[in-house]
Amino acid sequence: MHSACPNLIPSEIHSAHELHISVALAWHLGLHSQRRPCAHFGQRANPREVAYLVFEDQRQRLSWLMRVRIVTISFLLGIELSVQQYARFQNLTVVQVPMKFFLAVLVIWCVLDLIYYVLLKISTDYVTQSYMQVVLDLILVSLVVYFTGGLDSYFYLLYPLTVWVASVILPRGGAYLMACVSFIYAGIVLELPYFDLVPFYGLVRPDLKELQLKIAANLVAFLAVAHLGSKLAETLRQTGVELKDLQALNQDIIESLRSGLITTDLNGHILLSNSAAGEILGLPAGSLRHRPIQSLFPQAALQPFGGLSSVRREVVWSDDNEQKKYLGLTVSPLTRNAQTVGYVYNFQDVTQMKQLEREIQLQDRMAAIGRMAAAIAHEIRNPLASIAGSVKLFSGMVGGEAQEQRLIKIVMKESERLNTIINDFLQYSREMKFEFAVVNLSEILEETLTLLRNHPKFDRRYRVIKEVPSTPVLASVDANRIRQVFWNLGDNALKAMPQGGTLSVQVKPQKDHVELLFRDTGAGLTPRQAEKLFEPFQSDFEGGTGLGLAIVYQIVQAHKGSIQAESTRQGCVFRIELPLAAPLQPKDQQPIKVPRVAQP
C-alpha cells in the first residue's frame, strides 16, 4: 500500500531540540489532535510524524510567502510609478514620494527576500525564520507607508495584509503578537511626523483627536484580522488534514482490493491502476499509466460503452509467457457532476472458477452417464457371456476349415475385449474401497518402474530417468491404488512414444504435499485432447478402452489430491499432487469406503 508520508523523519531534523520545536509548533497550529495520513486510520500520529508534517507545511508556507513578497514588491513599484506619472500629466495633487528612499526600501526588501531563500535552503529553524520574516516585513511596510504619506498613504492596507500573512504561517499567539507589533509600528509612523521628529510627507496634517482615533482603530482592526485570520487558517489546516487522511484512506482501500482496478480518460488512456491489476496481468503497476486500454482489453475497448455498467463479460488474457487467463471484466462510466469523464475497468482472475465450472458440469454429466451405462453394461454382459459360450461350443463342432476357424477366433477375441471393457467400466462406475496406510511413495514408485522396465513393449528404444529424494516421502494412501495410478501413467507414456523416448519421473516433496511428475517425449497433447483427457472413452491408443486415465483421476481425487496434464514443447507432463499426512495409528488402518468421484 502507498503511504501518504515516509516512516522516517527527514535528515533535516538533526537534533532533539529541533524536534521539540516542531512538535510545539504543531501543538499551537492545532495539528496535535488530528489524524494524519501516515498514521493508521482512526489513530493519532506520533510526535515524530507530526514533526515531519510541520516541517513540510512550514517550509511550503515560507516558500509561498517569498513568492507573494516578490509579487507585492512589483505591485507596489508599478502602482507608485503609475500614480506619479498620471498625476504629472493630469496636474493632480498627490503625495510627493521621495523616490530614491522609496526605491531603496523596495531594493532592500528584494535583497532580504533573496536572503530568506538562502536561509530556507541551509537552515531548518523555520520557526525563527517565520517570526523574523514577518517582523522585517512590518518594518519595511512601515517605511513604505511613511514615505508614501503616512495617514494619506494608499499602501496603509499592507499592515492588515501582513497581519493576515502572520496568522497563516504562525500559530494564533504569534498572530496576536504580530498584530500588536503592527499597532506599535503604525503608531510610530503616524506620531513621529506629527511631532516633527521626522519629515512629514503627507498632504494634510491630522489633528490630535483624529490621530488618536486612527491609532485606536488600528489596534482593533489588527487584532480582528489576527483573530479571524487565525480561525480561518486553523480551519483550513484541519480541512487539509482531513482531506489528506481521506485521500490516504481511499488509496489504501484501492490498494487493498484483490480485484484489478483501472481508470481511463475518454480517449482510453490509463490514468490509475492498483497493484492487484499489475499482479493479475503480470505487468509492473507503474508501466500501466498512460498506456492505451486497447492494448490490454481490445475486445471490450472497441465496443460502445453504453450500458456497460450492467454487463459482466469474460475476456482471455495472455501474458508474456503465453499463459492464458480468463478474466471477468466489468466496465462502468466514471462520472463527475453527471458528466462522463472516463471509464472504470474492474476485473478478476476467474481461471480457477472456470475450471471448477467445467468440473462441476462434467461431474453432473458423468454421474448421469455412469448410472445409465452401469445398467446397460450389466444388460450387455449376460448375453455376451452366452454368445461367447455358444461360439466356443460351435468351434468344437465345426470342421477344420481355416477360414471358419479364423472367423471364430476373431469373434472370441472381440468378445474377450468387449468383456474387458465392460469389467473396466463396471470397476470405474462402482463405489471404490480404499485401505489407507502411511507408506513411502518412493518405494511404491521404485517397484512400479521396475515392473515397467519388464513390460513386454519396453526395449532399448526406451529410457527411464527418475529423481527421487533420499529421505522417505511418507503419505497416507492406498498403496495398491496408487501403484495402479503409477502403472497407468507409465504405460500411457510408453504408448505415447511408439518410436521410443525417455520417461522422466520426479518426486518433489513440498511443505504440506508431494508433487509427482511423469514426463514423456511423445507427440504431446492438443488443446482438445487436454480438455477431455480424463473423461471415459477418450483413448487415442490402439486397443485402449479409454478408462485408464478416468480411473486414475478417480483414485487421485479420492486421496484428496489433484492431477493435471500439460503439453510441453516435446511431449507431455502429468502433474500429481498428494497431501502429506501424519502417520496413522493401527486402529485407523482399516478399509474406508470412498464414493465414486466424477472427472473434471
Side-chain angles (χ1 to χ4, degrees):
M1 298 182 187
H2 299 290
S3 178
C5 68
N7 293 329
L8 299 177
I9 300 302
S11 57
E12 288 87 346
I13 301 181
H14 298 291
S15 65
H17 174 67
E18 293 176 351
L19 177 62
H20 174 73
I21 293 176
S22 299
V23 174
L25 179 58
W27 184 275
H28 289 294
L29 290 176
L31 300 177
H32 59 282
S33 62
Q34 301 301 319
R35 294 192 304 269
R36 303 302 297 178
C38 50
H40 295 293
F41 184 70
Q43 297 180 356
R44 296 182 180 180
N46 60 51
R48 295 184 66 82
E49 291 174 341
V50 173
Y52 169 79
L53 294 170
V54 169
F55 262 68
E56 287 300 309
D57 291 345
Q58 200 67 8
R59 177 159 47 191
Q60 291 175 4
R61 291 191 185 98
L62 289 177
S63 178
W64 166 80
L65 178 57
M66 287 186 290
R67 293 192 296 270
V68 171
R69 187 179 292 114
I70 290 296
V71 173
T72 303
I73 294 172
S74 302
F75 177 76
L76 293 178
L77 180 59
I79 289 294
E80 186 58 39
L81 292 178
S82 299
V83 169
Q84 294 296 330
Q85 290 293 330
Y86 184 77
R88 185 179 298 111
F89 289 134
Q90 298 295 330
N91 295 321
L92 299 177
T93 301
V94 295
V95 175
Q96 297 301 314
V97 178
M99 291 303 297
K100 60 179 181 179
F101 295 126
F102 179 76
L103 292 177
V105 171
L106 297 185
V107 170
I108 293 173
W109 214 346
C110 290
V111 172
L112 287 176
D113 198 58
L114 181 61
I115 294 174
Y116 300 154
Y117 176 79
V118 175
L119 286 176
L120 191 64
K121 294 294 183 181
I122 64 176
S123 175
T124 58
D125 191 357
Y126 302 137
V127 178
T128 302
Q129 290 185 45
S130 301
Y131 280 98
M132 179 185 67
Q133 291 189 29
V134 174
V135 170
L136 292 178
D137 283 345
L138 287 173
I139 293 175
L140 294 172
V141 165
S142 300
L143 292 175
V144 168
V145 171
Y146 167 67
F147 288 124
T148 55
L151 196 59
D152 297 324
S153 175
Y154 30 79
F155 295 133
Y156 204 85
L157 287 176
L158 289 176
Y159 277 119
L161 178 62
T162 306
V163 173
W164 177 81
V165 169
S167 67
V168 172
I169 67 172
L170 296 176
R172 183 177 299 181
Y176 289 144
L177 177 61
M178 292 302 104
C180 295
V181 172
S182 299
F183 166 73
I184 294 173
Y185 285 171
I188 293 174
V189 168
L190 295 179
E191 290 181 356
L192 289 180
Y194 179 82
F195 292 106
D196 292 328
L197 298 178
V198 294
F200 178 74
Y201 293 103
L203 295 176
V204 180
R205 287 181 178 273
D207 55 23
L208 183 60
K209 186 175 182 180
E210 182 182 356
L211 183 64
Q212 291 174 345
L213 181 62
K214 181 66 175 180
I215 293 175
N218 285 341
L219 178 61
V220 175
F222 294 164
L223 290 176
V225 170
H227 176 74
L228 295 177
S230 297
K231 293 287 289 184
L232 178 61
E234 184 176 345
T235 301
L236 292 176
R237 290 189 193 105
Q238 293 178 358
T239 303
V241 167
E242 293 173 357
L243 180 60
K244 290 179 181 179
D245 199 6
L246 183 60
Q247 289 174 342
L249 176 62
N250 290 338
Q251 184 67 25
D252 290 342
I253 292 174
I254 292 175
E255 290 299 321
S256 299
L257 292 174
R258 298 320 306 154
S259 58
L261 184 68
I262 292 177
T263 61
T264 69
D265 57 17
L266 292 174
N267 296 323
H269 294 96
I270 296 177
L271 303 177
L272 179 144
S273 63
N274 62 351
S275 57
E279 293 175 4
I280 294 174
L281 299 176
L283 299 172
S287 66
L288 297 178
R289 185 171 176 81
H290 303 306
R291 186 171 176 173
I293 194 65
Q294 288 83 354
S295 63
L296 300 180
F297 309 119
Q299 298 175 351
L302 293 177
Q303 296 182 7
F305 288 95
L308 282 182
S309 57
S310 59
V311 177
R312 186 177 186 271
R313 63 191 65 197
E314 290 183 357
V315 297
V316 180
W317 164 261
S318 298
D319 56 17
D320 295 337
N321 298 326
E322 297 184 355
Q323 212 172 23
K324 289 186 178 180
K325 291 182 178 180
Y326 291 93
L327 304 181
L329 175 65
T330 304
V331 186
S332 57
L334 177 64
T335 59
R336 181 183 301 160
N337 298 327
Q339 296 292 327
T340 300
V341 297
Y343 300 98
V344 179
Y345 290 75
N346 186 22
F347 54 93
Q348 304 85 27
D349 185 356
V350 295
T351 305
Q352 292 184 351
M353 188 179 299
K354 289 284 291 182
Q355 184 177 356
L356 290 175
E357 287 178 359
R358 288 197 297 267
E359 291 182 3
I360 292 173
Q361 292 173 359
L362 185 58
Q363 286 175 4
D364 293 340
R365 186 169 67 251
M366 293 308 301
I369 293 175
R371 289 191 297 268
M372 180 181 65
I376 294 175
H378 280 290
E379 295 299 326
I380 294 176
R381 193 174 190 181
N382 294 331
L384 180 63
S386 300
I387 293 172
S390 299
V391 170
K392 188 174 182 180
L393 180 62
F394 181 71
S395 64
M397 298 170 58
V398 177
E401 295 184 10
Q403 182 67 17
E404 295 176 352
Q405 290 295 331
R406 189 176 68 83
L407 292 176
I408 290 174
K409 287 181 180 180
I410 291 175
V411 173
M412 294 292 294
K413 181 181 177 181
E414 292 302 317
S415 297
E416 291 176 1
R417 190 173 73 86
L418 185 56
N419 188 54
T420 301
I421 294 175
I422 293 175
N423 288 333
D424 289 344
F425 188 80
L426 289 175
Q427 178 187 358
Y428 169 74
S429 60
R430 286 196 193 105
E431 182 181 49
M432 288 188 178
K433 293 182 180 180
F434 293 82
E435 295 184 3
F436 289 98
V438 176
V439 297
N440 185 2
L441 292 178
S442 300
E443 291 182 359
I444 297 177
L445 184 61
E446 290 277 5
E447 295 172 2
T448 306
L449 294 180
T450 300
L451 293 175
L452 190 65
R453 291 188 183 95
N454 293 283
H455 195 285
K457 296 181 180 179
F458 195 91
D459 53 28
R460 296 179 181 178
R461 297 173 301 167
Y462 298 101
R463 190 165 59 121
V464 176
I465 300 175
K466 62 180 179 180
E467 294 182 19
V468 180
S470 57
T471 58
V473 180
L474 301 179
S476 180
V477 298
D478 186 320
N480 291 329
R481 298 293 187 183
I482 291 298
R483 189 177 286 109
Q484 183 180 359
V485 170
F486 294 164
W487 173 262
N488 283 344
L489 293 179
D491 184 56
N492 274 10
L494 296 183
K495 293 178 180 178
M497 302 181 293
Q499 306 301 323
T502 302
L503 170 62
S504 301
V505 182
Q506 294 176 285
V507 179
K508 297 180 178 180
Q510 306 296 331
K511 183 178 180 181
D512 56 355
H513 68 278
V514 59
E515 188 177 57
L516 301 104
L517 302 177
F518 286 74
R519 192 186 310 270
D520 62 58
T521 56
L525 297 171
T526 65
R528 184 179 177 279
Q529 288 175 331
E531 184 177 355
K532 297 181 177 293
L533 189 62
F534 298 106
E535 294 183 10
F537 309 111
Q538 296 295 326
S539 176
D540 292 329
F541 300 133
E542 183 180 355
T545 63
L547 290 172
L549 290 179
I551 295 174
V552 165
Y553 180 85
Q554 188 174 346
I555 295 173
V556 173
Q557 288 288 306
H559 284 78
K560 298 182 180 179
S562 64
I563 180 170
Q564 294 178 347
E566 301 173 5
S567 185
T568 60
R569 293 182 178 178
Q570 187 177 7
C572 173
V573 58
F574 284 83
R575 188 186 311 273
I576 302 176
E577 290 185 1
L578 294 174
L580 294 174
L584 295 174
Q585 300 298 327
K587 63 180 181 179
D588 295 327
Q589 299 182 7
Q590 53 188 350
I592 300 176
K593 289 186 178 182
V594 179
R596 183 178 66 82
V597 179
Q599 285 58 53

